[in-house]
Amino acid sequence: MSLLDEEGNQDESLESKTLSAEDQVKDHSTGTRVVAGQIFLESGKSDSQSENEESFHSQEEEKENSLEELNSLEMSNLLNKDLEEAEIQSPVLTAIGGTADGEPCHFPFLFMEKEYAECTADGREDGRLWCATTYDYKKDQKWGFCESEEQSNKRRQMQEAEDVYQIGMKILNESSKKAQKKVAYQYLLKAADMNHTKAMEKVSYALLFGDYLKQNIQASKELFEKLTEEGSPKGQMALGFLYASGLGVNSSQAKALVYYTFGALGGNLIAHMILGYRYWAGIGVLQSCESALTHYRLVANHVASDISLTGGTVVQRIRLADEVENPGMASGMLEEDLIQYYQFLAEKGDVQAQVGLGQLHLHGGRGVEQNHQRAFEYFNQAANAGNSHAMAFLGKMYSEGSDVVPQSNETALQYFKKAADMGNPVGQSGLGMAYLYGRGVPVNYELALKYFQKAAEQGWVDGQLQLGSMYYNGIGVKKDYKQALKYFNLASQGGHILAFYNLAQMHATGTGVMRSCHTAVELFKNVCERGRWSERLMTAYNSYKDGDSNSAVVQYLLLAEQGYEVAQSNAAFILDQKEASIVGENETYPRALLHWNRAASQGYTVARIKLGDYHFYGFGTDVDYETAFIHYRLASEQQHSAQAMFNLGYMHEKGLGIKQDIHLAKRFYDMAAEASPDAQVPVFLALCKLGVIYSLQYVREINIREVFSHIDMDQLLGPEWDLYLMTIIALLLGTIIAYRQRQHQAIPRAAGLRPAVPQQEPPPEHQPPQ
């Protein structure tokens, strides 16, 4: 599927460019309203979206709203004036051919006892548009075509392409089987060949990522170039990505920035997100926190407006490097056998298994696809068994509404009440929402506050979030920004996206806190990374697991451009392992180095150590022990990495990039052993080696003959010290002989009983890993 479906409504479609003059006038009156350079979303919100946004308005925003009303009045007056002028000045449609060639069309005209206010194809088998030049066609028989034959053919071709596109999209949206999706893309491919813009967008991304079509970067590049010429923001953004990553073209950050900028101006959210990250990190542009804030805030507004009461899908962030070291452990994915085991327990009536599976299917994640039907069934079973958590989640599903569960405030209220009476925080929070917004009950701020407080006391994030909103807006309580900040912080610790969003707004405007652009950008970035495009992380991971490293690396590279640290490290890992054949062998390490660098700048310890390794061994760059030492030291000081400490100890021991110092080497080895239990064995071996080296150095530094010449054995051990020594040696020799004889006697009796001892390979010398 296309990565950017959610932005389709913002991109211009081809149809809007082939409208008649009159249609263009009509379309002009319904243009998007933009005030002071900001997009206002109030008019198109669902109930849950408007609740979330209503709960967060500062005094400054109220001023903006009043200004917006004035501006909108002025704009509507201007639009009306433009419409009047357009109606007066609109060109008159002239008949082509027919019985009234060159005469103006008459609207409305009467044909078959029906009035037509525009050209029609009725009565014609070829589908060509025509009009009458007098009111009564039957009486006067005066008519002509509204379009030339060429225009007619083009219009019919586009209509045919649209029909093929709609068939493809219908199959794509209704089927979950891979084979059916491949069939759908064949229809889209056909529509794309007929120059259908949206089909071209879908196909070009499918070719880029290898989604249901064979990956072909060159073909996708040609389609992106064609789309860019037509002004498609998706095409512009994708072409920018190709230039940024050097796929199919020579890498050019300047061209990438130009295309990203055009894509963002066209309303593409991914392009805004990429520009936000570039301004934040200073990639190809001068670092600018305020510019990053502008881009990130715009994207965050859209992401926040999409968040439902149930919280949306879960973002899976799986690190490939951790997967290789600990398969299945670091990913958080549930094994198929384990899911089947839980399903077996649920079928047997295990309430906890039913609730757990219900939540997994409600939100998706951990290897389970989002499925509201299954979630509803599991919650229903658990609720019938008297589980308060299941009742509360059923209330949330009824309150939100979906294709599976019809929206019903009354049913939601019943479930919330049952759960709240049993002391369930989810039910209490849902009941608070009902009283706050008057869903099935009269609005009662006092009761809403009471239930939110109860839920918040039990640590439920929704209760904390709504309580923060009430304090922020002064609804049912005195306005208190400090309390609002406290509850938003608590909700953010539980990972609630809207809590991050609200905190970002507070830090961006300096409401209740000192204004901090840096903090606001980091919080908005976190919100943006929870958008629907984050599902691509899981798609890329599945591609990698299926052995398609080329598809995985391209997907990770695009997500890396958007600023996902886990995508940057995963792309670097695939390049580091030389698993992607689409990247030339000479370019593998330099590109990996670039992405390790970006991931390290976002605080990923393994990436920082990798940067040290690359400079230590000269991968993708010249050997530079001093730079390697700096990276290891940063990983050691900032992230307390045992591996970095061990590597620093080794460099001090060998004198690489720094003056040789055995004492400092021992100190770093000891620190590594304290930082991680896993480091204790290699540290022990390294310290043994260090002890031998230290002893040899000590022996070199002293004169042994001189030492022995000063030792008087007679005075130290007595005059008969040689007899004592001979006796000790004899006793030791006798003990060894007796032990060997007993061992030889024991061998025949124990034959066949001793287990085979596996041969152990000698431990390798511990050096900084490659």
Side-chain angles (χ1 to χ4, degrees):
M1 291 179 69
S2 172
L3 176 66
L4 307 169
D5 289 343
E6 64 276 2
E7 293 134 55
N9 295 331
Q10 294 186 24
D11 297 339
E12 288 184 359
S13 63
L14 196 65
E15 288 83 354
S16 67
K17 296 173 186 175
T18 56
L19 293 171
S20 66
E22 290 184 29
D23 289 337
Q24 287 176 7
V25 173
K26 290 176 188 175
D27 197 51
H28 181 65
S29 65
T30 58
T32 306
R33 190 167 56 122
V34 179
V35 180
Q38 294 199 13
I39 299 169
F40 289 87
L41 305 172
E42 285 85 347
S43 58
K45 291 174 186 164
S46 64
D47 290 344
S48 63
Q49 292 167 355
S50 58
E51 286 160 16
N52 295 331
E53 304 253 337
E54 277 171 20
S55 64
F56 207 85
H57 285 303
S58 65
Q59 292 175 351
E60 293 169 11
E61 287 173 330
E62 286 170 13
K63 290 176 186 175
E64 284 179 12
N65 288 340
S66 60
L67 222 110
E68 179 196 336
E69 288 171 13
L70 289 170
N71 288 342
S72 63
L73 283 170
E74 290 174 14
M75 285 177 72
S76 62
N77 290 336
L78 283 169
L79 286 172
N80 290 333
K81 190 177 178 183
D82 288 346
L83 270 172
E84 288 168 11
E85 289 175 4
E87 283 170 9
I88 295 165
Q89 296 174 6
S90 60
V92 177
L93 213 59
T94 306
I96 302 169
T99 59
D101 184 30
E103 293 183 22
C105 290
H106 188 286
F107 296 115
F109 62 88
L110 189 67
F111 173 66
M112 301 284 286
E113 298 182 0
K114 180 183 173 184
E115 279 194 347
Y116 290 86
E118 57 187 3
C119 298
T120 181
D122 290 357
R124 292 193 64 85
E125 290 181 2
D126 61 2
R128 198 166 168 187
L129 296 174
W130 65 277
C131 68
T133 56
T134 60
Y135 174 73
D136 192 340
Y137 168 78
K138 187 177 181 181
K139 178 186 173 185
D140 301 318
Q141 296 286 312
K142 303 281 279 183
W143 68 278
F145 293 112
C146 297
E147 56 190 357
S148 65
E149 194 170 348
E150 186 183 344
Q151 289 171 329
S152 176
N153 291 336
K154 189 176 180 181
R155 181 181 55 78
R156 284 201 300 272
Q157 186 184 1
M158 289 314 301
Q159 186 56 52
E160 186 185 344
E162 177 65 23
D163 293 341
V164 173
Y165 172 76
Q166 291 301 335
I167 292 169
M169 289 305 296
K170 190 172 185 289
I171 297 170
L172 195 64
N173 293 329
E174 291 178 0
S175 177
S176 58
K177 293 180 180 177
K178 196 171 183 180
Q180 286 293 311
K181 288 184 182 289
K182 284 185 176 180
V183 171
Y185 267 95
Q186 290 307 312
Y187 280 103
L188 295 175
L189 204 57
K190 186 180 176 183
D193 289 339
M194 298 163 76
N195 293 325
H196 189 282
T197 305
K198 288 183 179 178
M200 284 163 64
E201 288 172 350
K202 298 283 284 183
V203 167
S204 57
Y205 278 99
L207 289 168
L208 178 65
F209 298 132
D211 285 347
Y212 311 112
L213 292 173
K214 188 180 178 182
Q215 190 177 30
N216 188 332
I217 291 173
Q218 194 59 38
S220 70
K221 186 203 85 164
E222 289 169 7
L223 277 173
F224 288 138
E225 286 175 339
K226 196 172 181 181
L227 286 165
T228 299
E229 287 172 10
E230 292 183 6
S232 164
K234 285 186 183 180
Q236 290 162 342
M237 186 282 294
L239 201 55
F241 163 65
L242 292 182
Y243 276 107
S245 55
L247 294 172
V249 293
N250 292 326
S251 180
S252 170
Q253 297 303 320
K255 284 185 179 179
L257 186 64
V258 170
Y259 285 120
Y260 283 149
T261 304
F262 278 121
L265 290 170
N268 187 277
L269 296 180
I270 301 290
H272 275 294
M273 196 170 166
I274 291 170
L275 287 174
Y277 174 65
R278 287 190 161 230
Y279 278 110
W280 182 63
I283 299 170
V285 290
L286 285 173
Q287 202 166 9
S288 170
C289 183
E290 293 300 333
S291 296
L293 181 64
T294 302
H295 289 289
Y296 272 131
R297 192 191 329 225
L298 191 145
V299 181
N301 288 341
H302 284 270
V303 173
S305 69
D306 267 349
I307 302 302
S308 63
L309 189 63
T310 52
T313 54
V314 176
V315 179
Q316 290 287 333
R317 299 172 188 262
I318 303 168
R319 296 189 188 281
L320 298 181
D322 295 343
E323 266 282 285
V324 170
E325 288 184 16
N326 305 302
M329 292 294 289
S331 68
M333 301 288 287
L334 291 175
E335 295 291 335
E336 185 63 33
D337 294 343
L338 192 58
I339 294 170
Q340 288 178 0
Y341 173 68
Y342 283 131
Q343 287 172 342
F344 172 76
L345 289 178
E347 286 167 12
K348 292 292 181 184
D350 188 305
V351 176
Q352 291 303 319
Q354 289 166 349
V355 173
L357 285 169
Q359 286 180 292
L360 272 175
H361 284 97
L362 180 65
H363 301 297
R366 301 196 72 183
V368 179
E369 284 189 10
Q370 195 173 28
N371 187 326
H372 283 191
Q373 180 66 50
R374 298 290 296 277
F376 180 75
E377 288 167 4
Y378 283 123
F379 285 141
N380 225 1
Q381 291 171 20
N384 292 335
N387 184 277
S388 63
H389 218 59
M391 292 175 190
F393 272 99
L394 279 174
K396 289 182 83 170
M397 290 187 79
Y398 273 109
S399 177
E400 183 66 28
S402 66
D403 295 337
V404 176
V405 182
Q407 203 282 332
S408 172
N409 288 333
E410 289 72 22
T411 312
L413 193 65
Q414 289 172 15
Y415 280 114
F416 284 142
K417 275 184 177 176
K418 284 181 186 177
D421 290 343
M422 296 169 75
N424 186 279
V426 186
Q428 290 165 346
S429 177
L431 210 52
M433 293 286 281
Y435 280 112
L436 181 63
Y437 298 108
R439 294 176 173 176
V441 289
V443 172
N444 189 325
Y445 295 140
E446 194 176 329
L447 279 174
L449 186 72
K450 172 189 164 185
Y451 282 114
F452 286 143
Q453 283 174 333
K454 284 184 176 182
E457 283 167 10
Q458 295 188 65
W460 183 241
V461 289
D462 281 341
Q464 293 164 342
L465 176 79
Q466 296 302 331
L467 203 54
S469 297
M470 291 185 80
Y471 276 111
Y472 186 90
N473 292 297
I475 299 172
V477 289
K478 188 180 177 183
K479 193 176 284 191
D480 189 337
Y481 292 136
K482 296 295 178 189
Q483 283 288 85
L485 189 69
K486 171 192 166 184
Y487 284 111
F488 286 149
N489 273 320
L490 286 170
S492 70
Q493 287 167 20
H496 203 298
I497 305 174
L498 292 177
F500 287 117
Y501 177 75
N502 290 348
L503 283 171
Q505 292 282 26
M506 290 184 81
H507 281 94
T509 57
T511 307
V513 289
M514 285 287 290
R515 186 181 186 276
S516 171
C517 177
H518 185 78
T519 306
V521 167
E522 288 190 337
L523 289 165
F524 275 133
K525 182 176 183 286
N526 195 323
V527 175
C528 294
E529 289 180 0
R530 308 288 188 92
R532 291 180 187 174
W533 38 80
S534 63
E535 293 170 13
R536 179 63 65 184
L537 282 168
M538 203 63 219
T539 313
Y541 173 75
N542 289 331
S543 296
Y544 182 76
K545 294 299 282 184
D546 292 340
D548 192 353
S549 297
N550 285 338
S551 174
V553 79
V554 174
Q555 294 176 76
Y556 278 133
L557 284 170
L558 177 57
L559 290 163
E561 279 289 296
Q562 291 171 244
Y564 286 89
E565 177 271 307
V566 70
Q568 291 166 347
S569 57
N570 284 351
F573 174 81
I574 294 172
L575 293 167
D576 180 80
Q577 299 295 307
K578 296 190 173 180
E579 294 175 334
S581 60
I582 57 169
V583 179
E585 195 171 336
N586 295 334
E587 298 175 21
T588 302
Y589 281 135
R591 290 192 187 199
L593 180 67
L594 172 73
H595 289 289
W596 284 130
N597 194 25
R598 291 182 184 178
S601 67
Q602 296 199 60
Y604 183 40
T605 311
V606 173
R608 182 65 67 188
I609 294 168
K610 279 285 186 183
L611 284 176
D613 293 345
Y614 273 48
H615 285 95
F616 186 93
Y617 294 108
F619 294 155
T621 183
D622 296 329
V623 173
D624 188 342
Y625 293 130
E626 289 181 8
T627 305
F629 183 85
I630 290 166
H631 286 300
Y632 290 143
R633 190 173 65 188
L634 284 170
S636 168
E637 291 173 356
Q638 294 175 3
Q639 286 102 20
H640 307 287
S641 165
Q643 180 68 64
M645 292 170 186
F646 186 91
N647 293 353
L648 286 171
Y650 180 83
M651 294 184 82
H652 275 292
E653 178 191 328
K654 296 289 184 183
L656 300 170
I658 194 141
K659 186 180 177 183
Q660 189 176 26
D661 191 327
I662 289 173
H663 300 287
L664 270 176
K666 182 182 183 305
R667 181 183 165 194
F668 278 111
Y669 284 141
D670 289 338
M671 286 167 64
E674 288 173 14
S676 171
D678 295 337
Q680 288 177 357
V681 173
V683 164
F684 172 74
L685 295 171
L687 286 174
C688 289
K689 179 186 168 190
L690 203 63
V692 172
I693 292 169
Y694 182 75
S695 301
L696 289 171
Q697 277 189 350
Y698 180 75
V699 168
R700 278 199 210 103
E701 287 172 5
I702 63 169
N703 193 328
I704 296 172
R705 287 183 184 178
E706 203 174 303
V707 170
F708 277 106
S709 66
H710 286 88
I711 296 174
D712 187 349
M713 297 300 285
D714 290 339
Q715 190 178 355
L716 190 66
L717 300 174
E720 298 176 350
W721 64 271
D722 52 343
L723 293 174
Y724 299 145
L725 182 63
M726 287 172 68
T727 305
I728 291 166
I729 291 169
L731 286 169
L732 282 171
L733 191 61
T735 305
I736 290 166
I737 292 166
Y739 175 74
R740 291 291 296 272
Q741 283 178 343
R742 286 183 65 185
Q743 200 175 29
H744 282 298
Q745 289 171 2
I747 288 170
R749 289 197 298 272
L753 298 176
R754 289 172 61 197
V757 179
Q759 291 185 354
Q760 294 184 355
E761 293 182 7
E765 185 181 359
H766 289 270
Q767 293 189 12
Q770 292 190 19

